[in-house]
Amino acid sequence: QAGLTQPPSVSKGLRQTATLTCTGSSNDVGYQGAAWLQQHQGHPPKLLSYRNNNRPSGISDRFSASRSRNTASLTITGLQPEDEADYYCSAWDSSFGGWVFGGGTKLTVL
Amino acid sequence: EVQLVESGGGLVQPGGSLRLSCAASGFTFSNYWMTWVRQAPGKGLEWVADIKDDGSGEFYVDSVKGRFTISRDNAKNSLYLQMNSLRAEDTAVYYCASLHLTWGQGTLVTVSS
């Protein structure tokens, strides 16, 4: 039940674009795609997208997700101070029948 | 409004038991698989268990198999997690979620003597 791989931290300037990555395998990210979550300190995770780029209602279109083979990406355009948070990816792992998560990326907006 | 509200967390001694509950509203609960995810203090997210929409199948992470039981009552729009033989390493915030829909606010479970 190995996890997905995310860079521990990313730093970008205000109004810039950040791209966060999530690497898995053909059994998870490559199988049905990934979901992305945003978590501010002391708050529960918030779903940003699922199955690569389906956004729940109310999620800004500044957040867009994509996938290339076994790597999922989350692109955040026009970075705002409130985008500073931890971002997690998750995917269903068909090899053992459960969910796997990435270790999370801490996004800092300079 | 789509909402999940957990309850039942608290302080328990090693070897003890707790039952977490999650009340769902704002969506057709019986149409969705449901999930428990936990987050140890200062750590990342860890999947704990899943249950099919009709309750006919359950799936667990290896570390809780044989100790935790996930269940649901679709008539009451409720999800449960029975946790037995609790260990210090089970200390975490436990979230109820429909992973492609919404997450609850979490309930803290602390296992300590």
Side-chain angles (χ1 to χ4, degrees):
Chain A
Q1 298 173 350
L4 308 175
T5 300
Q6 296 183 252
S9 64
V10 168
S11 297
K12 286 289 185 179
L14 195 62
R15 293 182 295 278
Q16 289 189 332
T17 295
T19 298
L20 312 182
T21 59
C22 168
T23 302
S25 71
S26 58
N27 292 323
D28 40 61
V29 175
Y31 180 63
Q32 285 187 341
W36 286 93
L37 304 155
Q38 177 192 60
Q39 186 177 36
H40 288 104
Q41 183 71 28
H43 290 268
K46 177 182 178 181
L47 182 65
L48 297 176
S49 75
Y50 61 96
R51 296 270 172 89
N52 298 325
N53 200 25
N54 292 283
R55 275 192 307 270
S57 61
I59 299 301
S60 169
D61 59 6
R62 294 190 300 108
F63 296 91
S64 65
S66 61
R67 180 190 67 167
S68 175
R69 295 189 68 183
N70 302 329
T71 296
S73 299
L74 177 71
T75 298
I76 312 169
T77 59
L79 282 169
Q80 299 298 309
E82 60 265 29
D83 297 331
E84 189 162 290
D86 293 323
Y87 291 82
Y88 294 92
C89 59
S90 69
W92 176 261
D93 190 320
S94 60
S95 67
F96 74 90
W99 293 91
V100 286
F101 287 88
T105 295
K106 181 175 183 59
L107 175 64
T108 300
V109 180
L110 303 171
Chain B
E1 179 191 5
V2 174
Q3 196 171 17
L4 295 170
V5 179
E6 302 93 336
S7 60
L11 174 64
V12 61
Q13 292 189 339
S17 297
L18 272 180
R19 189 192 195 210
L20 305 184
S21 298
C22 172
S25 60
F27 65 103
T28 306
F29 180 72
S30 58
N31 286 352
Y32 290 85
W33 284 44
M34 294 298 296
T35 301
W36 286 100
V37 175
R38 67 185 178 184
Q39 186 170 34
K43 302 296 185 181
L45 301 170
E46 180 185 32
W47 172 71
V48 174
D50 256 30
I51 187 166
K52 289 185 174 181
D53 50 0
D54 61 0
S56 64
E58 307 155 24
F59 309 87
Y60 300 92
V61 67
D62 285 348
S63 60
V64 309
K65 281 180 183 175
R67 300 189 299 123
F68 290 12
T69 302
I70 187 173
S71 62
R72 65 191 297 160
D73 185 336
N74 284 346
K76 294 183 178 179
N77 290 338
S78 293
L79 177 72
Y80 307 101
L81 185 68
Q82 177 66 45
M83 303 186 295
N84 299 330
S85 302
L86 281 161
R87 306 166 180 169
E89 55 264 34
D90 295 318
T91 294
V93 174
Y94 284 74
Y95 295 102
C96 160
S98 173
L99 288 189
H100 287 170
L101 183 63
T102 193
W103 290 58
Q105 85 289 348
T107 187
L108 176 62
V109 172
T110 303
V111 184
S112 175
S113 54

